[in-house]
Amino acid sequence: MLLKNLKLSNFRNYIEQDVEFKPGLNIILGANAQGKSNLLEAIEYLSTGKSYRSTHDLELISREKKLASIAVQYFIDWDNHTNLQNISIDFKLVSALDKSKNPKLERKVKINSATYSSTRNLKGSLCVVSFKSEDLNLARGGPKYRRDWIDNLLSTIDLAYRETSNRYNKCIIQRNRLLKNIAEKGGRFNLSDTDKEQLRVWSRQAASLGAKVTKERLKLLDRLRPLIEAYQEKISGKSEPITVRYFQTSSDEDPESSENFDQNEDQLGSNWNETSESELESRLMGLYKSRFNEELARKQTLSGPHRDDIIFCLNDLPAKNYGSQGQTRTLVLSLKIAELDLVCDHLHEPPILLLDDVLAELDLNRQNFLMQEVANRSGMQTIITTTHIDAFEKNWLAGASFYEVAAGHIKEKISC
């Protein structure tokens, strides 16, 4: 894929901006808080329909503005610069009837000639792989970072998974609502026949869909694991072997901090392919039954893929708790390059690679490794943001295009 043009209107600190990108390496230079990350955020939003930097999309619109838009043109066939695609998203603030509440945000998504009201339809169109400082949470953050990572990657390479995941999440919302109603009516000792039937229906549906989600995650991890292990070995020089484990959470204990980590029963272990979908479904039904009192007390579903975790271990110890700063950076670098390989294989051409100031997070050895991997992927368009290029090797900069950002304005530089 090749990003041709990006247009921003009232997006973050960009009032009006139109920028043309070039094939190969594009380097965005600028001091902190000038708009470098905002630019990459817009590109990723056009790909995923989500912002990794805000809790609510209201924050994307420039202050005191009610309308905003982002639009992109890109080629699918990079070699021949053919098959031009267009994506645009219009944001509109609509005042709430209750003046004490925040305004509502309406979105109009246009993909070529088709118009949608939801960003869900964006997946599978513009494919990007991003690497940003927030990705370090894959190693040191909470389970949600790892769940979101695997789910977003699956949604990129398998559109059917996105639908299954959405159905599962809706099912959990309904089951939680039912648990809350039962709890407020007096709990398990006041269950009506209707409550029992609804609980049976929603539990079976949640277990069935949850098993499908878990199985797809395991299949993807099975593909990723050899890639992650190979890159980890290259970077660390065989000194930090990595293992990947999947946990179906059956309690609120942190599996990584357990004294009996190796014997933890929640661990599915390395023989993922031996765990059938029906076995996963039966396990979930058993967890719903054994944790029912706890679920009623907390009024929520406590087991399932929305609570599971992926544990990365270095030298058989959880990286989150035992890995050094350098080790966690190596681990995340291995994960992201493995992700890049998988997306390249899926597309049969390179995606667009976004590197948001990540070189500042890496030492020279890891910088060299990352940039060499970028160089090895012929035809891949890469957009890098950085505050300076002093640490860049001269050979990295050969043929690069340079842009300068200041106070929400970007312009191309002839040389750097």
Side-chain angles (χ1 to χ4, degrees):
M1 290 191 171
L2 177 68
L3 192 65
K4 177 180 182 290
N5 172 268
L6 177 69
K7 292 183 179 180
L8 307 175
S9 176
N10 298 330
F11 182 86
R12 297 285 194 183
N13 68 332
Y14 289 94
I15 303 305
E16 294 293 336
Q17 185 65 63
D18 190 340
V19 56
E20 299 280 336
F21 290 102
K22 305 295 176 60
L25 185 60
N26 296 260
I27 299 178
I28 314 296
L29 290 159
N32 291 326
Q34 299 304 302
K36 302 189 305 298
S37 294
N38 296 344
L39 199 71
L40 267 58
E41 180 186 25
I43 298 170
E44 190 165 4
Y45 193 100
L46 286 158
S47 173
T48 66
K50 295 179 181 178
S51 168
Y52 62 91
R53 301 170 66 219
S54 63
T55 55
H56 198 292
D57 286 355
L58 289 170
E59 300 168 19
L60 303 178
I61 301 178
S62 301
R63 290 181 180 179
E64 299 181 1
K65 303 292 184 181
K66 293 187 176 181
L67 300 174
S69 66
I70 52 179
V72 68
Q73 290 185 313
Y74 66 99
F75 294 106
I76 290 181
D77 186 349
W78 186 92
D79 290 331
N80 300 309
H81 289 192
T82 58
N83 201 352
L84 183 65
Q85 305 288 302
N86 296 274
I87 298 176
S88 64
I89 305 175
D90 294 329
F91 302 93
K92 181 180 180 181
L93 290 181
V94 180
S95 298
L97 294 177
D98 185 345
K99 300 300 182 182
S100 66
K101 295 183 178 180
N102 289 328
K104 290 176 60 180
L105 182 65
E106 293 181 352
R107 301 171 189 81
K108 183 173 77 173
V109 178
K110 192 169 183 180
I111 304 174
N112 295 320
S113 59
T115 302
Y116 308 93
S117 60
S118 170
T119 59
R120 287 196 300 268
N121 300 87
L122 289 169
K123 274 293 188 181
S125 298
L126 175 66
C127 285
V128 306
V129 171
S130 67
F131 188 5
K132 43 195 176 286
S133 59
E134 288 84 355
D135 288 325
L136 293 173
N137 285 309
L138 289 173
R140 65 191 184 195
K144 188 177 186 303
Y145 290 102
R146 292 176 286 279
R147 289 195 299 263
D148 287 350
W149 171 68
I150 198 77
D151 287 342
N152 287 335
L153 179 51
L154 268 167
S155 296
T156 297
I157 65 176
D158 184 358
L159 295 182
Y161 176 82
R162 179 183 63 188
E163 179 60 28
T164 302
S165 179
N166 287 338
R167 288 174 60 201
Y168 172 75
N169 290 332
K170 290 177 182 178
C171 183
I172 292 300
I173 291 172
Q174 293 296 329
R175 191 172 185 274
N176 288 347
R177 187 173 294 149
L178 178 60
L179 288 169
K180 181 180 179 182
N181 289 339
I182 293 172
E184 291 175 350
K185 288 191 299 184
R188 67 183 303 164
F189 299 107
N190 290 310
L191 276 173
S192 67
D193 290 340
T194 300
D195 290 335
K196 290 178 182 178
E197 177 61 19
Q198 286 188 341
L199 186 62
R200 183 185 64 82
V201 170
W202 286 116
S203 295
R204 285 188 175 179
Q205 188 170 340
S208 176
L209 291 169
K212 294 180 188 299
V213 168
T214 302
K215 188 62 179 177
E216 290 304 312
R217 286 179 179 177
L218 294 176
K219 286 162 63 176
L220 181 63
L221 286 172
D222 211 35
R223 294 175 61 189
L224 278 170
R225 183 166 50 182
L227 297 172
I228 296 168
E229 290 171 350
Y231 285 123
Q232 181 73 16
E233 184 175 299
K234 283 183 182 179
I235 305 171
S236 67
K238 301 183 180 181
S239 64
E240 300 165 4
I242 187 172
T243 52
V244 184
R245 306 182 185 184
Y246 190 93
F247 282 82
Q248 282 191 297
T249 307
S250 63
S251 70
D252 286 334
E253 280 189 32
D254 181 358
E256 296 165 298
S257 61
S258 172
E259 293 179 359
N260 299 313
F261 175 77
D262 290 331
Q263 287 75 42
N264 196 303
E265 293 180 358
D266 296 349
Q267 181 185 170
L268 290 182
S270 58
N271 298 320
W272 295 334
N273 290 330
E274 297 177 8
T275 307
S276 68
E277 193 174 304
S278 61
E279 288 173 326
L280 294 169
E281 183 175 347
S282 295
R283 179 176 170 83
L284 275 176
M285 287 298 292
L287 288 171
Y288 295 155
K289 183 177 180 180
S290 65
R291 303 190 74 186
F292 185 53
N293 287 340
E294 189 181 357
E295 288 189 329
L296 283 181
R298 296 174 60 176
K299 303 175 184 177
Q300 59 182 300
T301 305
L302 299 176
S303 301
H306 66 293
R307 303 272 297 186
D308 292 348
D309 199 0
I310 302 164
I311 311 298
F312 301 111
C313 300
L314 299 173
N315 295 313
D316 292 325
L317 291 173
K320 178 182 173 181
N321 295 330
Y322 298 96
S324 68
Q325 194 174 69
Q327 287 174 323
T328 56
R329 280 163 169 73
T330 296
L331 167 60
V332 173
L333 186 54
S334 299
L335 294 178
K336 297 305 291 187
I337 299 176
E339 175 186 344
L340 181 60
D341 277 357
L342 210 63
V343 176
C344 285
D345 184 61
H346 169 71
L347 295 176
H348 304 295
E349 67 171 340
I352 298 161
L353 179 62
L354 308 178
L355 303 177
D356 192 7
D357 208 22
V358 294
L359 293 183
E361 299 284 351
L362 303 174
D363 61 22
L364 186 58
N365 176 56
R366 294 176 180 87
Q367 286 181 17
N368 282 324
F369 184 84
L370 174 59
M371 296 307 293
Q372 187 59 52
E373 288 298 322
V374 170
N376 287 344
R377 287 160 174 78
S378 176
M380 183 168 66
Q381 185 183 42
T382 304
I383 304 175
I384 298 179
T385 66
T386 184
T387 55
H388 56 80
I389 58 171
D390 297 345
F392 282 55
E393 297 284 343
K394 287 185 178 180
N395 59 305
W396 297 352
L397 304 177
S401 301
F402 297 92
Y403 302 80
E404 187 173 36
V405 176
H409 295 279
I410 183 170
K411 62 181 181 180
E412 186 175 359
K413 300 186 70 174
I414 301 303
S415 62
C416 193

